[in-house]
């Protein structure tokens, strides 16, 4: 298997592919002033195996289009949707977030937890705005500095990994400059990283290595995930996922 195939294999059976929680998905939803009677159209972009998609489907009167690049994650989501009796509400779509087959002003809500970075925060704000109705909502989570300054090691790491890493105030400026009004912001609690993401991830290392014959690429995948987790544990007071909820003007 290639490294990418191994990464997919490593993540596909997990509840989430990034930090987050049901509580925080609902908290973000709580900032939106939504009509009660009308059926909403929602796009969940970079949905992974759909941890947050299921929560959205359980709490909204909506049709959700759940998009991801990798069919392995979408199959998991389809299984979950069946299990929870939500197949009528969730339609999966294998597509790149860069090239979505959506119409102008088609959606009431565009949701994306931990995934907009794949096309860049500002690029995503610009591209996805077209698909939102005027007054529709965007909810995205994104790596964010939560203090004004930070140690050089972590600053260098994130600048290298993701040059768009920034403070919430600068991200909010981008949101406002691109035709949205912010209606809510908070950042994810450490528990959403540790309990919901890193702990289950660590528990999967052994079985992952065994089923991949302890190959050098499989070990590299484990080492990289481990290093990312160690860095988070060391520097967790300096960064998190900021959750931004904004309304299209
Ligand atoms: C960090 S995971 C987050 C998954 C999920 N939203 C969650 O919070 O558990 C990022 C997701 O973006 C997807 N992804 C990466 N590049 C993509 C692209 N170009 N188009 C669509 N999805 C993409 C990945 O397959 C992955 O499922």
């Amino acid at each position: 298997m290639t490294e990418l195939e191994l990464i997919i294999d490593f993540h596909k059976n997990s509840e989430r592919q990034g930090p987050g929680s049901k509580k925080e998905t609902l908290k973000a939803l709580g900032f939106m002033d939504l009509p009660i009677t009308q059926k909403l159209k929602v796009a969940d972009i970079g949905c992974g195996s759909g941890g947050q998609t299921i929560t959205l489907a359980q709490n909204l009167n909506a049709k959700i289009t759940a998009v991801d690049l990798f069919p392995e994650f979408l199959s998991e989501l389809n299984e979950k949707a069946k299990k929870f009796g939500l197949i009528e509400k969730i339609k999966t779509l294998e597509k790149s977030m860069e090239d979505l087959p959506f119409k102008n002003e088609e959606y009431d809500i565009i949701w994306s937890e931990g995934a907009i970075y794949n096309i860049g925060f500002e690029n995503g704000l610009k591209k996805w705005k077209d698909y939102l109705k005027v007054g529709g909502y965007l909810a995205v989570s994104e790596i964010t500095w939560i203090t004004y300054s930070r140690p050089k090691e972590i600053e260098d790491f994130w600048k290298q990994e993701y040059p768009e890493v920034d403070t919430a105030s600068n991200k909010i400026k981008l949101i406002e400059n691109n035709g949205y009004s912010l209606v809510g912001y908070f950042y994810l609690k450490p528990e959403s990283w540790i309990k919901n993401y890193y702990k289950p991830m660590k528990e999967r290392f052994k079985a992952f290595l065994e089923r991949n014959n302890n190959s050098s690429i499989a070990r590299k995948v484990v080492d990289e995930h481990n290093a990312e987790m160690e860095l988070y544990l060391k520097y967790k007071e300096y960064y998190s996922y900021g959750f931004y909820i904004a309304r299209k003007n």
Side-chain angles (χ1 to χ4, degrees):
M1 276 203 247
T2 64
E3 186 170 344
L4 179 62
E5 285 165 343
L6 283 169
I7 292 172
I8 293 169
D9 177 60
F10 179 60
H11 282 284
K12 73 175 183 199
N13 298 121
S14 57
E15 180 58 27
R16 310 189 59 102
Q17 284 69 43
S21 68
K22 186 173 175 179
K23 206 167 149 195
E24 287 157 327
T25 297
L26 291 175
K27 185 171 176 178
L29 202 52
F31 285 102
M32 301 177 184
D33 187 10
L34 298 167
I36 300 166
T37 48
Q38 180 196 327
K39 192 164 205 144
L40 302 169
K41 282 199 80 174
V42 179
D44 181 6
I45 304 178
C47 60
S49 66
Q52 72 291 318
T53 325
I54 297 293
T55 301
L56 292 173
Q58 287 171 330
N59 289 278
L60 285 173
N61 173 21
K63 270 265 183 202
I64 305 176
T65 304
V67 186
D68 206 277
L69 195 54
F70 300 111
E72 294 85 343
F73 293 143
L74 297 175
S75 308
E76 293 288 322
L77 172 52
N78 282 326
E79 286 305 311
K80 274 189 224 167
K82 257 187 233 149
K83 186 173 129 198
F84 290 105
L86 294 167
I87 40 171
E88 295 299 318
K89 289 181 123 180
I90 300 172
K91 184 184 93 187
T92 55
L93 177 67
E94 184 189 331
K95 267 277 172 196
S96 170
M97 59 175 77
E98 190 108 42
D99 174 31
L100 294 164
F102 298 161
K103 296 193 199 77
N104 271 358
E105 305 198 357
E106 184 176 351
Y107 286 94
D108 297 285
I109 302 175
I110 291 186
W111 203 275
S112 183
E113 290 196 32
I116 194 171
Y117 76 92
N118 287 294
I119 54 166
F121 188 74
E122 188 167 22
N123 187 27
L125 293 178
K126 285 184 202 292
K127 279 217 157 82
W128 299 349
K129 191 178 148 206
D130 291 344
Y131 311 132
L132 265 184
K133 293 176 186 167
V134 172
Y137 291 96
L138 176 79
V140 291
S141 65
E142 157 91 342
I143 281 289
T144 299
W145 297 128
I146 57 175
T147 55
Y148 180 66
S149 61
R150 59 214 69 91
K152 190 172 179 313
E153 185 188 12
I154 192 62
E155 173 114 31
D156 290 349
F157 172 82
W158 275 112
K159 284 247 161 86
Q160 160 95 23
E161 283 293 305
Y162 184 53
E164 278 192 68
V165 61
D166 215 332
T167 55
S169 50
N170 286 335
K171 295 274 177 199
I172 291 166
K173 264 189 211 128
L174 289 176
I175 288 174
E176 290 170 343
N177 289 345
N178 282 286
Y180 302 85
S181 297
L182 191 83
V183 298
Y185 168 75
F186 62 94
Y187 58 85
L188 300 192
K189 295 224 163 71
E191 154 181 320
S192 299
W193 291 74
I194 300 167
K195 188 165 148 265
N196 293 357
Y197 182 54
Y198 286 136
K199 187 169 174 280
M201 184 177 99
K202 236 175 130 176
E203 288 165 1
R204 295 196 309 276
F205 282 159
K206 190 166 171 274
F208 168 75
L209 287 172
E210 277 170 11
R211 73 176 173 269
N212 290 293
N213 308 315
N214 207 22
S215 73
S216 59
I217 329 179
R219 273 184 281 123
K220 180 169 175 262
V221 169
V222 166
D223 289 347
E224 284 174 0
H225 281 79
N226 214 21
E228 185 205 293
M229 176 177 66
E230 294 298 330
L231 213 61
Y232 175 74
L233 294 175
K234 189 169 171 193
Y235 291 118
K236 62 184 183 307
E237 65 266 45
Y238 300 101
Y239 68 96
S240 186
Y241 269 15
F243 219 133
Y244 302 85
I245 304 94
R247 200 158 186 260
K248 176 174 163 174
N249 297 326

